[in-house]
Amino acid sequence: MNEIGHFIDGARVAGTSGRTADVFNPATGQVTARLALASAAELDRAVAGAQAAQAGWAATNPQRRARVFMRFVQLLNENMQELAELLSSEHGKTVEDSKGDIVRGLEVCEFVIGIPHLAKGEFTEGAGPGIDMYSLRQPVGVGAGITPFNFPAMIPMWMFAPAIACGNSFILKPSERDPSVPMRLAELMIEAGLPKGVLQVVNGDKDAVDGILAHPGISAVSFVGSTPIAAHVYAQATANGKRAQCFGGAKNHMIIMPDADLDQAADALIGAGYGSAGERCMAISVAVPVGDATADRLMEKLVPKVEALRIGPYTDKDADYGPVVTKASQEKILALVEKGVAEGAELKVDGRGFRMQGYEDGFFVGSCLFDRVTPDMDIYKQEIFGPVLSVVRAKDYEEALSLPMRHEYGNGVAIYTRDGDAARDFTSRVNVGMVGVNVPIPTPLAYHSFGGWKRSSFGDLNQHGPDSIRFWTRTKTVTSRWPSGIKSGAEFSMPVMR
Ligand code: NAD
């Protein structure tokens, strides 16, 4: 049995708590590793190591810090196939999709190679007589990141790349479902020249998370996962005086206007709805055709495409998507599909009976397509996080716009149309954080910031892009005056600039 411990002070170490969790290959349903779950003492050790390493790392000039990421990017490219296969073996997604997961994180590492420029402060010469004023961006100290199972390469890199580039040290608590890639990333960072202790990986569950939230040695917490946990982490971290950014669940709508190219829209829905078995926070889970004629034409195109989807293990190069991550997820998704049928939605493609030949114990879910879903149904309200697309028919544009506007989540949204006026009105009015115009998954690139609105996000600064540099640094503003002014004696009234 493969035992996975933690990564502390530059090396893998065995867990000592006696508590473990099983890691599965979702395609076979077999246990592939036993993961150590950290105790408070193990977290303490990781934080102590991170604190000891941080001052020296922060004092390393930013060009040298950037060079570690230059080498790390090179190592990621050199190890891409191995990392992607490892990722797929614990997550279940196809190897090509795993490469996308890694590359989206790699791009954030490329972005932070610009850290000497990105973290430059501001300077005003002559803010008053003989007075200069300047702002410094200093690291927060030790940061922590708590990540979900669905992007085990990208999301850890979203967090640790800017945090470390800014001069912080970092404690990563990966998802207990797929911890092997995060452990490899930490090893590769050491190979790239990162000093020991700057990046620590502490594996664990709720206990490790609660330990992080209470730990006085940790100044900032970044979280990505489901909304109830995001809300809990945000409340606890901020109550304990830490800065926090916490990203939660999603229910992303795609509006299809009557003038849209329906072939394009249908293809976009297939990729965005079923890619990665629907286990993406930016997956489209609700399609909103405007008008019954549009809906009927769209359904005619969607049904055969959904029926033709190829499901398979990650080793099948032709598979469109693989299994979902756990048996519990598989059961939850299938139960929600049952609920949708009971609630009166029309299940046009029924994947409930799907069995993967030769992989009968794998966590596969057949593709499901619902028509005539309504906003009061559970399958509309809840995040299903599986290969299930719901079609909600809207009578006109205003009704279509009101659906994502009224939903509790506000991560991503898209509109398909040929009309610039409709697209412009939509992007301006919709209360969702990331908007696509004829783009189904509008995930911002590394040099823009990623984040949703409403209950998809708690806190104010987003992931990567300029926001990440603000999140992982504290601003210190210095007002300085050199001798001449001081000679005139003390001032007793509030100094103001005239
Ligand atoms: P999850 O909330 O179950 O787990 C996320 C992290 O929280 C894991 O590290 C886990 O160990 C920890 N955790 C779980 N239960 C906890 C508890 N009770 N107390 C403290 N910590 C706990 O999420 P998941 O199933 O791994 O990921 C899927 C979810 O993440 C979906 O809801 C998806 O939409 C969301 N997600 C959001 C974004 C985004 O950017 N908004 C991106 C990716 C995933």
Side-chain angles (χ1 to χ4, degrees):
M1 177 61 68
N2 177 17
E3 305 274 349
I4 305 171
H6 313 290
F7 190 87
I8 298 189
D9 297 342
R12 285 178 187 251
V13 296
T16 56
S17 71
R19 292 174 60 238
T20 59
D22 289 339
V23 178
F24 291 85
N25 175 345
T28 60
Q30 301 301 307
V31 176
T32 55
R34 192 172 295 126
L35 177 72
L37 302 175
S39 65
E42 287 168 304
L43 176 65
D44 278 347
R45 188 182 150 204
V47 175
Q51 284 174 314
Q54 196 263 327
W57 176 241
T60 303
N61 79 54
Q63 272 179 294
R64 289 201 171 151
R65 281 189 250 135
R67 285 183 194 134
V68 171
F69 284 96
M70 289 181 202
R71 284 190 291 272
F72 181 61
V73 164
Q74 196 182 341
L75 289 171
L76 289 176
N77 280 316
E78 286 168 12
N79 290 277
M80 185 63 71
Q81 187 68 25
E82 171 232 334
L83 286 167
E85 285 175 15
L86 186 61
L87 196 160
S88 292
S89 71
E90 291 181 353
H91 178 289
K93 65 174 89 172
T94 64
V95 174
E96 277 315 298
D97 201 20
S98 290
K99 287 182 186 168
D101 186 334
I102 298 161
V103 169
R104 277 304 187 111
L106 178 156
E107 288 173 355
V108 177
C109 299
E110 288 176 330
F111 167 69
V112 305
I113 289 170
I115 198 66
H117 178 70
L118 292 168
K120 276 193 305 208
E122 296 163 342
F123 192 96
T124 303
E125 183 191 17
I131 295 177
D132 298 326
M133 191 174 287
Y134 57 97
S135 302
L136 310 173
R137 293 210 154 272
Q138 295 191 330
V140 297
V142 179
I146 300 154
T147 54
F149 81 84
N150 68 331
F151 286 102
M154 175 182 83
I155 295 179
M157 286 190 267
W158 277 5
M159 298 177 182
F160 78 65
I164 290 174
C166 287
N168 299 287
S169 48
F170 195 84
I171 312 282
L172 173 64
K173 205 304 281 171
S175 168
E176 55 275 53
R177 315 264 174 258
D178 41 20
S180 288
V181 166
M183 294 286 281
R184 276 296 288 143
L185 296 179
E187 278 177 338
L188 292 175
M189 282 291 281
I190 294 287
E191 207 177 317
L194 188 74
K196 293 172 182 171
V198 176
L199 176 57
Q200 316 272 53
V201 183
V202 173
N203 283 304
D205 56 3
K206 180 176 171 18
D207 284 5
V209 173
D210 288 341
I212 287 170
L213 299 179
H215 205 293
I218 295 173
S219 313
V221 175
S222 183
F223 173 91
V224 177
S226 58
T227 286
I229 314 295
H232 162 73
V233 169
Y234 187 73
Q236 289 303 308
T238 52
N240 290 332
K242 304 179 197 312
R243 62 173 64 181
Q245 49 168 197
C246 300
F247 300 87
K251 195 80 178 178
N252 305 315
H253 295 59
M254 183 167 127
I255 314 298
I256 300 104
M257 295 295 285
D259 68 345
D261 179 324
L262 285 193
D263 288 311
Q264 264 185 23
D267 277 341
L269 280 169
I270 296 296
Y274 299 91
S276 205
E279 291 175 318
R280 291 182 182 140
C281 65
M282 290 294 277
I284 295 288
S285 47
V286 182
V288 187
V290 174
D292 265 333
T294 314
D296 292 341
R297 281 192 298 140
L298 183 69
M299 288 305 295
E300 264 172 44
K301 291 184 188 295
L302 277 180
V303 169
K305 285 182 194 287
V306 176
E307 284 171 342
L309 282 167
R310 183 181 166 106
I311 306 168
Y314 72 91
T315 43
D316 175 357
K317 286 192 170 50
D318 298 323
D320 295 314
Y321 71 84
V324 297
V325 69
T326 55
K327 183 147 196 66
S329 298
Q330 182 193 38
E331 285 167 358
K332 182 190 152 197
I333 295 162
L334 291 172
L336 272 163
V337 173
E338 289 299 335
K339 188 90 191 285
V341 173
E343 284 173 319
E346 292 176 14
L347 187 57
K348 294 292 188 189
V349 181
D350 183 353
R352 285 176 295 181
F354 180 80
R355 296 281 172 280
M356 185 76 220
Q357 210 185 344
Y359 293 85
E360 284 75 10
D361 294 329
F363 311 138
F364 292 92
V365 179
S367 322
C368 294
L369 174 65
F370 277 111
D371 195 3
R372 297 186 190 277
V373 174
T374 54
D376 54 317
M377 294 178 182
D378 269 354
I379 49 165
Y380 178 77
K381 289 190 271 196
Q382 288 189 36
E383 180 182 43
I384 301 175
F385 227 54
V388 183
L389 180 65
S390 296
V391 174
V392 179
R393 295 173 174 232
K395 65 177 185 310
D396 57 21
Y397 168 70
E398 286 297 332
E399 189 184 36
L401 171 65
S402 76
L403 289 164
M405 297 278 288
R406 282 187 284 135
H407 206 284
E408 67 168 323
Y409 295 125
N411 215 37
V413 73
I415 185 167
Y416 268 65
T417 180
R418 290 190 170 95
D419 184 287
D421 176 50
R424 190 167 179 276
D425 183 80
F426 182 78
T427 52
S428 169
R429 286 168 64 197
V430 73
N431 58 358
V432 172
M434 293 172 279
V435 185
V437 176
N438 298 316
V439 171
I441 303 191
T443 306
L445 288 173
Y447 43 94
H448 286 267
S449 290
F450 178 110
W453 286 13
K454 300 187 280 184
R455 288 184 62 76
S456 292
S457 170
F458 303 83
D460 44 26
L461 292 169
N462 285 344
Q463 297 284 353
H464 58 73
D467 270 13
S468 64
I469 309 302
R470 291 188 200 106
F471 184 77
W472 294 109
T473 56
R474 290 185 288 196
T475 306
K476 182 183 280 175
T477 305
V478 181
T479 304
S480 86
R481 179 164 65 175
W482 288 99
S484 69
I486 214 99
K487 291 185 202 125
S488 56
E491 281 186 22
F492 295 99
S493 54
M494 183 75 180
V496 292
M497 289 302 155
R498 292 189 201 283

